[in-house]
Amino acid sequence: DRLGGALRVEDRPMTTKPRNETAVKAARTASCRKRQLKDFLRHCDRKGYTAPERQVMTALWVHTPNGQNGAADPSAMCWPKVGTIAALSGVTERSVTRILSALSDAGEVWIARPSRTRGLAGRLQIGGKDLDRGVNVYVLVYFAPESELRAWAALVSKGIRVEGAGLAKYVETPAKGAEVSPRAAAGGQP
């Protein structure tokens, strides 16, 4: 009966083709990413985010390495352009900008906005990655390991504008004699 499954021939054991190691790792990673996305969407439901907000956060999540393709990088950091986020999420670029600002105020996304005009030429080091100045870098706080959040908080002391609620919790207290303005502690430029 072929409807019940594979046809077995008597006196011959059924053999399966062994899967190569990369195929096994890719399948494991894909199922992990699916589970991660389901958990993240449940988190969005609990917080009561609208559909466009969920779509923007999902577009950011798609760009994070976060174990993707078997990568060992647990980072929750990404740097897509606003137009790319808009194309993936199905909302306008202006709406993406507005939604990112709202998500930043809610503490779901931190945004580093390194400036090209500050006279700091070359590349910027964030979380062990070299990035061009002038590129907005996002981190999804839900996925970020504690060490990455602390590294992001350290950017404030370098004069890089980082926006996001909850950032002050990770900012190191300054050494004696060094004063930090309330705006810098909140994530703004000193």
Side-chain angles (χ1 to χ4, degrees):
D1 182 274
R2 291 190 62 92
L3 295 177
L7 190 61
R8 291 181 183 228
V9 178
E10 290 182 32
D11 299 332
R12 241 186 353 182
M14 188 147 186
T15 60
T16 58
K17 185 177 179 182
R19 297 174 77 178
N20 69 18
E21 200 59 36
T22 55
V24 171
K25 187 187 287 186
R28 197 174 300 134
T29 302
S31 68
C32 179
R33 290 280 287 177
K34 285 180 188 175
R35 190 172 338 114
Q36 193 180 52
L37 180 60
K38 283 181 181 179
D39 291 344
F40 183 54
L41 292 176
R42 282 189 201 109
H43 166 75
C44 292
D45 287 342
R46 281 192 304 271
K47 294 282 189 165
Y49 291 120
T50 62
E53 290 169 335
R54 287 171 46 137
Q55 291 165 330
V56 167
M57 284 199 289
T58 304
L60 288 175
W61 174 79
V62 166
H63 279 84
T64 60
N66 210 351
Q68 185 176 12
N69 298 328
D73 187 1
S75 176
M77 183 173 69
C78 60
W79 46 93
K81 294 179 180 176
V82 171
T84 304
I85 298 170
L88 282 173
S89 59
V91 296
T92 64
E93 289 185 23
R94 187 172 178 182
S95 293
V96 167
T97 306
R98 182 185 50 78
I99 289 168
L100 284 173
S101 177
L103 291 173
S104 173
D105 292 342
E108 290 292 334
V109 176
W110 289 356
I111 307 170
R113 300 183 190 273
S115 171
R116 287 181 193 243
T117 60
R118 291 181 58 88
L120 301 170
R123 298 179 71 74
L124 176 68
Q125 185 89 14
I126 299 181
K129 298 191 177 22
D130 287 327
L131 303 170
D132 289 328
R133 291 196 176 274
V135 174
N136 288 344
V137 184
Y138 310 97
V139 68
L140 287 166
V141 177
Y142 179 80
F143 294 110
E146 188 86 13
S147 60
E148 188 171 29
L149 295 177
R150 291 194 187 288
W152 270 65
L155 294 176
V156 175
S157 64
K158 294 179 183 175
I160 297 171
R161 190 175 78 189
V162 179
E163 302 169 3
L167 180 66
K169 179 172 116 178
Y170 296 98
V171 174
E172 304 260 336
T173 55
K176 210 175 214 184
E179 298 263 338
V180 173
S181 69
R183 183 175 178 180
Q189 290 180 339

